[in-house]
Amino acid sequence: MANTRQMANAIRALAMDAVQQANSGHPGAPMGMAEMAVALWGEHLRHNPLNPQWPDRDRFVLSNGHASMLIYALLHLTGYKLPLQELRNFRQLHSKTAGHPETGITPGVETTTGPLGQGVTNAVGLALAEKLLAREFNREGHTVVDHHTYVFLGDGCMMEGISHEAASLAGAWKLNKLIALYDDNGISIDGQVQPWYPDNPALRFVSYGWNVIGPISGHDVPAVSEAIARAKASADKPTLIICKTSIGKGSPNRANTAKAHGEPLGAEEIKLTREALGWTHGPFEIPADVYADWDAKTAGTEREAAWNARFAAYAADHPELAAEFKRRMAGELPKQFAQVAVDAAVAAHAKAETVATRKASQIALEAFTGALPELLGGSADLTGSNLTNTSHTPALRFDAQGKGNGGRHINYGVREFGMAAVMNGIALHGGYIPYGGTFLTFSDYSRNAIRMAALMKQRVIHVFTHDSIGLGEDGPTHQSVEHAASLRLIPNLDVWRPADTAETAVAWAVALQNKARPTALLLSRQNVPYAAKKDLGDISRGAYVLSEPADLGLKRSAQAVIIATGSEVQLALKAQDLLAAQKIAVRVVSMPSTTAFDRQKPAYKQAVLPTGLPRIAVEMGVTDGWWKYGCAAVVGLDTYGESAPAPVLFKHFGFTPENVADTVRAVLAK
């Protein structure tokens, strides 16, 4: 029989030793949650250390990511490819044991956590994906999607507002296979939390539609295990298990104090803790019998083999479904997608419609959601404005028993941050490509989750409409000025601000093909006319030559280049006309994606923006980001907007063809 006391103490010892060696980290939470981990990982978690990507594994999320040594210890002890040397290299350059867990770096880490509250919200997305995939792929006699999502979280996650958004959605969606274990130790960096955290989590989660178990002792392995078993029996509700623990348990002088939270215990205190725990082994020394008790390789291999046998039987009876499941979980697009993308762009070009780019987005989505059953949409209570729904994506609903209706469009409610982090969880699970909409100005609410998607290299698509002062009367609170420039600063995030229907279709196609990169689509509220094009081939490169002086009858080389994005491309074209009437030759470059353009080879960049030609950028936003392109002038907006009809604002702020033309003339005069 496993010695659960020694199993827990092994976690404590590794946490103490790694933090001490790094002289940095958070030993208290891993020491306090050790028995919780023994109960879950030792008795319930279905996983295979030899194949961390087994599709039907249970998902485990450490939402309080500062407790990273807990998951590193667990991964090492249970047999993942995380040798002891990596624990010795905790928080060191290029190690697989970063200060906070990172997916794609450490085998067995499902999501990158650290910004508190986002891990539990990712877990909601993971659980939703499991539930939707089970409905879509399981058939009578064949259950190929059937796993739980477990999450550990602490007081910090509970305090962050995003946890309220996530928990409410989990209750509404009746995610009965989501089980959260709350490390209720009452301590944070500033000390006892009671003076500033008077919440009653039990009542709070009951109000969200969760089961609540506890409080129980988080140091009682049988009690925690029994609570998890009860939670797994839930048919229609997610479950919160409240575990009362002592932060830094085992440390004679640091337990139950803030000192245990975020600093090494110190050599003397570690010595005393080892004595108090009866742990007689040296630093990073784990006895063979403890390794044997923790080893999950054999059980994991057997579980995966049993699932493989079930899947083989499923594939024999439902070969097309099995192939589709494998394609979707691999994140591959259907073979016909390339043609669907071409057809969507060509159709937009042929129709040459004058519509808002938010409507252009919906037109493109109509084609893509029809071709891609994995597209899972949604909006933060702005569906009628974001236009994220199509004829292929009915609203997702669940009945009183938790059964879904097969809908593919989620009403996230006014929960932008929650939506963004849930989408990250959906993408991390696999099987779906999530997209969600809100106004561009509210990207501020979503921003950290967008950054996390970029850090984790996840294909998540944000539909941001009402992208400028062009939204008009709602005024500066809703008019995006700095947001495009701000989003472009996030590494690995593609940002597209298309000018018309064809550019929007291409932007969507590129976003869907970006397997390891999230995308933000910035779309207009106001109608924009179609910009005539000779071909569509270079749009996907992020910038292309839209109009040359010769297209207006001028038989001379360009004297300047106007670079424009989105709705301002029309201003550039009209200014080009005005200048041509005065025999001033100008090239117009449409740059729907600075981020995509920046990745192009130097030769292409040089061909689009030739050296020696002065450049003038036009965009209804802050000017800072444009100077890197060597612009001589920028027609932009370095102030907030005003409340007035859009045409009045355009004239007031100088977004007119005449002002753009005047700016070009002024540059050439210099």
Side-chain angles (χ1 to χ4, degrees):
M1 178 176 286
N3 185 333
T4 59
R5 180 171 176 272
Q6 288 292 82
M7 291 170 72
N9 285 341
I11 293 174
R12 293 190 174 98
L14 289 173
M16 289 189 300
D17 294 340
V19 172
Q20 185 67 26
Q21 178 143 318
N23 196 30
S24 173
H26 300 76
M31 295 172 72
M33 291 189 288
E35 283 84 8
M36 294 164 58
V38 171
L40 175 59
W41 283 65
E43 301 183 23
H44 292 279
L45 194 71
R46 295 172 61 254
H47 64 119
N48 183 6
L50 298 179
N51 182 13
Q53 298 305 312
W54 167 35
D56 203 40
R57 68 194 180 278
D58 288 340
R59 269 60 168 183
F60 173 75
V61 175
L62 183 67
S63 189
N64 43 350
H66 58 271
S68 57
M69 267 311 302
L70 176 74
I71 194 167
Y72 297 150
L74 288 166
L75 294 170
H76 169 72
L77 291 167
T78 56
Y80 284 79
K81 194 174 181 181
L82 194 70
L84 198 60
Q85 186 58 39
E86 291 291 350
L87 275 62
R88 292 179 181 273
N89 289 338
F90 179 54
R91 292 189 162 218
Q92 304 309 301
L93 185 65
H94 302 316
S95 78
K96 293 183 179 181
T97 50
H100 293 84
E102 295 187 38
T103 187
I105 302 296
T106 313
V109 171
E110 300 285 358
T111 179
T112 301
T113 54
L116 293 174
Q118 287 196 60
V120 65
T121 312
N122 295 164
V124 171
L126 290 164
L128 177 64
E130 188 277 341
K131 183 166 188 168
L132 298 181
L133 280 172
R135 185 192 186 282
E136 193 172 349
F137 285 98
N138 290 346
R139 292 294 183 270
E140 185 175 353
H142 297 285
T143 302
V144 294
V145 181
D146 183 18
H147 52 267
H148 285 80
T149 301
Y150 297 97
V151 56
F152 280 9
L153 70 159
D155 290 317
C157 293
M158 285 290 197
M159 289 185 222
E160 286 285 0
I162 191 174
S163 69
H164 296 256
E165 299 179 24
S168 180
L169 287 167
W173 298 335
K174 303 183 186 302
L175 301 180
N176 61 299
K177 290 185 179 177
L178 173 63
I179 300 172
L181 287 84
Y182 168 34
D183 175 31
D184 184 11
N185 62 43
I187 297 290
S188 71
I189 293 173
D190 285 348
Q192 292 283 345
V193 301
Q194 193 169 4
W196 58 84
Y197 181 54
D199 298 29
N200 186 323
L203 293 180
R204 174 182 152 192
F205 275 73
V206 166
S207 76
Y208 294 143
W210 288 53
N211 294 315
V212 176
I213 298 174
I216 63 173
S217 170
H219 302 303
D220 185 335
V221 172
V224 176
S225 181
E226 190 273 336
I228 294 171
R230 286 170 55 195
K232 287 163 67 176
S234 173
D236 62 349
K237 293 179 181 179
T239 299
L240 176 73
I241 302 172
I242 301 175
C243 300
K244 289 286 188 181
T245 65
S246 299
I247 191 170
K249 182 172 174 60
S251 170
N253 300 301
R254 295 287 185 89
N256 293 314
T257 71
K259 293 284 283 184
H261 173 82
E263 60 183 67
L265 296 183
E268 182 58 31
E269 186 65 16
I270 288 176
K271 177 177 177 292
L272 294 174
T273 303
R274 275 183 153 79
E275 293 172 358
L277 295 174
W279 186 262
T280 59
H281 316 288
F284 296 103
E285 182 184 331
I286 305 295
D289 60 330
V290 175
Y291 272 125
D293 286 343
W294 269 116
D295 191 356
K297 295 191 295 293
T298 300
T301 300
E302 291 172 352
R303 289 187 180 112
E304 183 176 358
W307 181 82
N308 287 337
R310 293 199 306 274
F311 192 83
Y314 173 73
D317 286 357
H318 304 282
E320 292 183 0
L321 276 176
E324 178 72 355
F325 178 81
K326 290 170 72 174
R327 176 189 74 79
R328 299 246 311 252
M329 290 304 291
E332 301 297 338
L333 297 175
K335 292 179 180 178
Q336 71 272 20
F337 176 78
Q339 189 59 51
V340 172
V342 169
D343 291 347
V346 170
H349 180 62
K351 292 180 180 178
E353 292 178 280
T354 294
V355 294
T357 52
R358 61 172 174 163
K359 181 62 180 176
S361 170
Q362 188 179 46
I363 294 169
L365 271 173
E366 189 65 38
F368 293 137
T369 54
L372 300 175
E374 60 263 47
L375 267 177
L376 182 62
S379 175
D381 202 45
L382 289 167
T383 302
S385 292
N386 300 149
L387 304 182
T388 45
N389 58 331
T390 73
S391 65
H392 307 288
T393 58
L396 178 64
R397 295 289 183 268
F398 297 96
D399 64 19
Q401 287 72 47
K403 184 177 180 180
N405 68 343
R408 290 170 55 199
H409 190 272
I410 300 170
N411 298 106
Y412 283 100
V414 188
R415 302 182 181 96
E416 296 88 356
F417 194 7
M419 175 179 72
V422 165
M423 290 197 296
N424 289 351
I426 293 169
L428 285 159
H429 183 281
Y432 294 101
I433 301 173
Y435 69 92
T438 187
F439 290 171
L440 178 56
T441 192
F442 301 138
S443 64
D444 287 337
Y445 289 148
S446 307
R447 185 179 180 86
N448 199 262
I450 297 170
R451 181 178 185 272
M452 295 300 289
L455 179 64
M456 294 189 288
K457 301 179 181 179
Q458 295 301 304
R459 179 166 45 188
V460 176
I461 302 171
H462 294 269
V463 179
F464 292 126
T465 68
H466 297 59
D467 70 342
S468 71
I469 61 171
L471 67 87
E473 292 87 345
D474 276 345
T477 58
H478 285 53
Q479 291 167 2
S480 305
V481 175
E482 75 277 26
H483 298 77
S486 176
L487 289 169
R488 289 169 183 147
L489 293 174
I490 299 176
N492 200 46
L493 173 68
D494 244 13
V495 180
W496 286 81
R497 189 166 181 255
D500 57 23
T501 51
E503 287 191 5
T504 305
V506 171
W508 262 109
V510 173
L512 291 166
Q513 292 172 86
N514 274 343
K515 191 175 179 181
R517 181 180 288 119
T519 300
L521 303 175
L522 317 187
L523 308 169
S524 74
R525 174 184 185 254
Q526 74 274 22
N527 288 344
V528 290
Y530 189 78
K533 299 169 181 59
K534 290 183 280 292
D535 64 69
L536 307 175
D538 287 334
I539 297 174
S540 62
R541 297 189 181 200
Y544 62 101
V545 178
L546 177 62
S547 180
E548 292 279 35
D551 298 325
L552 280 67
L554 287 180
K555 297 180 180 180
R556 57 186 301 182
S557 299
Q559 298 165 262
V561 178
I562 303 177
I563 310 167
T565 79
S567 52
E568 290 79 88
V569 168
Q570 290 301 319
L571 291 180
L573 291 171
K574 290 175 182 177
Q576 183 192 35
D577 272 336
L578 293 175
L579 292 163
Q582 298 177 334
K583 306 301 182 184
I584 300 173
V586 170
R587 167 185 285 189
V588 173
V589 168
S590 178
M591 192 179 285
S593 177
T594 63
T595 52
F597 180 68
D598 289 348
R599 293 195 298 274
Q600 301 307 309
K601 293 181 179 178
Y604 181 75
K605 294 180 182 179
Q606 171 69 19
V608 174
L609 301 176
T611 303
L613 286 185
R615 303 162 188 175
I616 298 90
V618 186
E619 185 173 62
M620 292 185 200
V622 294
T623 61
D624 280 4
W626 288 105
W627 303 113
K628 72 176 181 178
Y629 297 106
C631 291
V634 180
V635 179
L637 188 64
D638 287 317
T639 67
Y640 292 109
E642 298 279 354
S643 178
V648 175
L649 295 174
F650 296 156
K651 184 176 181 180
H652 175 72
F653 287 109
F655 291 101
T656 64
E658 292 78 11
N659 186 49
V660 175
D662 287 345
T663 303
V664 174
R665 281 192 291 266
V667 167
L668 292 175
K670 293 180 181 179

